[in-house]
Amino acid sequence: MAMKCIARLRSRRVVQDHLLRASNEAAVGGGCCWANLPQELLWEVLLRIEDSESSWPQRKNVVACAGVCRSWRIIIKQIVKVPQLSGKLTFPISVKQPGPKDSLLQCFIKRNRSTQTYYLYLGLTNLTLRKFSFNFSMAALLDVGKFLLAARKCRRPTCTDYIISLQAEDISKGSNAYVGRLRSNFLGTKFTVFDGQPPHTGAKIAKSRSSRLPNLKQVSPRVPSGSYPMAHISYELNTLGSRGPRRMHCSMNTIPATSIGPGGLASTQAEFSLNNVNPSQSIPIFHSKSASLENFLSGPLSYQKNGRLVLTNKAPRWHEQLQCWCLNFHGRVTVASVKNFQLVASPEDGPAGPEHEKIILQFGKVGKDLFTMDYQYPISAFQAFAICLSSFDTKIACE
């Protein structure tokens, strides 16, 4: 028995040594023995791995295969579909791509009050949620989920910024993991979501005073970190009082209103850009002076159409037995809170269709400093996370 165990350990060590040597060869640009496998066999092997590892943490094996060598990475990128088609988040760029079309992708947000930080995880199914309600430990909960994004709240004299990063340990605008930010006005009733990289060809970088402030950490020259406005969020006075959800509108600059209709498409980023961007060669997103960022943050509420997708919160229904306004979260929300909301596409001036009843984003409280966030096409995890962050701010003018 001891000899068998020793032989098994030796064989495992041999495999690990081969993988390590292959990774080192790929890193220095040399030949890789794993790249010499027949393409048909390699394709079949990687396809089976992708099909079998459908959820995290097992899905990390798919990511590991993409790091073996260049030929493996090319095939993996062809096999792994975007979240819109597969319903899976695999690579970091997946957080910038639209969610699945036919179902909500279930995530949760953990808030740390002491550090003013927020962490987005993939996971927290209804079964796990029920376990958590019966004293399921927070450590076990975080082990179940897959970390996606982190945000840190930064208060300024006239506004509030939420810096969003791909790394939980490095949340700064000067980091290579910087994804974007959310900025509010002084009252916390209007927010703008900025992408750190151009969301599409022709996007124009927004001028910001904060980028000229002294003592700011400089961004790596490899990363075109900028401020590309991609969404505007507005909160209005709640006519239902404190018992009802806040009224909110989200104007998605980079998503056309036709994307939710039959045959509609939303832009999808294929990878993070590593080249410097020349803002002088770009085309502005805003088409009129009245739609500029400064006027939006300081002026009266207005919702620019121009063919953009506009999301509004779903109207609640009065519950006779509970004597309060209620929304059906299908078990995903367990604690009543003014922060809870569901967003659907606004029909604007046209008639409402079935596509305007579909919930695109829902957010709600399930415990102390724990919230669920479920989203689907045509918005991405980054956009959904930024919209949910706006709900954390206190809005005295709206309540």
Side-chain angles (χ1 to χ4, degrees):
M1 182 65 68
M3 295 299 296
K4 289 183 179 179
C5 293
I6 294 174
R8 188 178 304 172
L9 291 174
R10 286 179 176 175
S11 62
R12 184 178 301 176
R13 181 63 181 271
V14 170
V15 173
Q16 291 176 348
D17 290 342
H18 277 293
L19 289 174
L20 181 60
R21 184 162 55 252
S23 300
N24 293 335
E25 291 174 353
V28 300
C32 175
C33 61
W34 300 97
N36 298 326
L37 293 175
Q39 290 294 309
E40 295 80 4
L41 175 61
L42 180 58
W43 183 279
E44 182 66 24
V45 170
L46 296 180
L47 185 61
R48 292 191 178 187
I49 294 177
E50 203 281 334
D51 290 339
S52 61
E53 314 294 359
S54 59
S55 61
W56 290 90
Q58 292 79 14
R59 196 153 182 81
K60 65 182 179 181
N61 296 328
V62 179
V63 179
C65 290
V68 171
C69 61
R70 185 171 181 271
S71 61
W72 284 45
R73 182 163 55 253
I74 293 175
I75 295 179
I76 282 292
K77 290 178 68 175
Q78 294 176 356
I79 292 176
V80 175
K81 305 300 182 183
V82 295
Q84 177 181 341
L85 301 176
S86 65
K88 305 172 185 176
L89 301 183
T90 306
F91 301 109
I93 191 61
S94 299
V95 300
K96 302 288 287 294
Q97 297 173 337
K101 265 198 170 183
D102 300 326
S103 61
L104 289 167
L105 207 54
Q106 297 178 339
C107 308
F108 67 94
I109 298 174
K110 177 68 175 69
R111 175 176 59 181
N112 189 323
R113 292 176 182 266
S114 60
T115 60
Q116 293 290 290
T117 51
Y118 306 82
Y119 304 95
L120 175 65
Y121 294 84
L122 176 67
L124 194 59
T125 62
N126 286 356
L127 177 60
T128 308
L129 185 58
R130 285 193 293 269
K131 291 181 179 179
F132 177 77
S133 62
F134 291 101
N135 298 324
F136 194 56
S137 68
M138 183 59 66
L141 180 64
L142 298 184
D143 289 340
V144 172
K146 168 67 174 70
F147 170 79
L148 298 178
L149 292 168
R152 178 169 54 88
K153 186 176 182 178
C154 304
R155 291 188 179 275
R156 303 185 186 279
T158 59
C159 64
T160 300
D161 279 348
Y162 291 84
I163 307 300
I164 304 175
S165 172
L166 287 169
Q167 295 182 5
E169 300 81 12
D170 189 4
I171 310 177
S172 66
K173 195 176 179 182
S175 169
N176 288 343
Y178 172 73
V179 178
R181 63 188 172 97
L182 173 74
R183 166 162 290 190
S184 74
N185 64 351
F186 179 74
L187 296 177
T189 56
K190 296 181 181 181
F191 297 80
T192 300
V193 181
F194 294 97
D195 198 333
Q197 295 182 342
H200 58 78
T201 304
K204 184 177 181 180
I205 189 171
K207 295 181 179 180
S208 173
R209 294 181 181 178
S210 62
S211 62
R212 299 190 295 271
L213 292 176
N215 301 326
L216 279 181
K217 185 178 178 181
Q218 295 296 320
V219 181
S220 170
R222 296 185 297 104
V223 183
S225 178
S227 295
Y228 300 87
M230 62 185 312
H232 295 308
I233 308 165
S234 298
Y235 289 84
E236 290 183 351
L237 179 65
N238 185 4
T239 58
L240 300 178
S242 60
R243 295 180 300 173
R246 297 161 174 164
R247 294 181 58 190
M248 57 189 298
H249 286 72
C250 302
S251 178
M252 313 302 295
N253 291 14
T254 59
I255 304 178
T258 56
S259 62
I260 63 171
L265 295 175
S267 60
T268 301
Q269 290 183 245
E271 59 186 7
F272 289 105
S273 174
L274 294 179
N275 301 319
N276 288 323
V277 178
N278 185 0
S280 62
Q281 298 178 354
S282 58
I283 304 172
I285 292 180
F286 297 113
H287 300 285
S288 64
K289 184 177 179 180
S290 61
S292 66
L293 173 62
E294 292 80 4
N295 287 346
F296 171 80
L297 291 177
S298 61
L301 292 176
S302 60
Y303 313 110
Q304 301 295 327
K305 299 178 183 178
N306 297 328
R308 305 170 185 170
L309 176 67
V310 177
L311 304 178
T312 59
N313 59 310
K314 189 174 183 179
R317 296 181 180 181
W318 180 256
H319 197 290
E320 289 295 340
Q321 294 180 347
L322 300 178
Q323 289 295 297
C324 64
W325 297 96
C326 297
L327 289 168
N328 186 4
F329 287 91
H330 301 283
R332 297 290 294 162
V333 176
T334 58
V335 180
S337 173
V338 70
K339 296 179 177 65
N340 302 346
F341 65 79
Q342 291 178 326
L343 293 184
V344 296
S346 173
E348 295 299 320
D349 296 330
E355 63 273 14
H356 299 104
E357 294 295 328
K358 182 182 294 184
I359 296 174
I360 295 177
L361 171 62
Q362 68 177 16
F363 171 79
K365 191 172 184 179
V366 294
K368 184 179 180 181
D369 298 323
L370 186 66
F371 304 81
T372 55
M373 187 200 86
D374 303 336
Y375 76 99
Q376 65 175 325
Y377 174 91
I379 67 174
S380 65
F382 164 62
Q383 293 169 326
F385 186 41
I387 294 174
C388 292
L389 288 174
S390 70
S391 185
F392 285 104
D393 258 18
T394 302
K395 302 165 179 61
I396 301 176
C398 299
E399 300 169 1

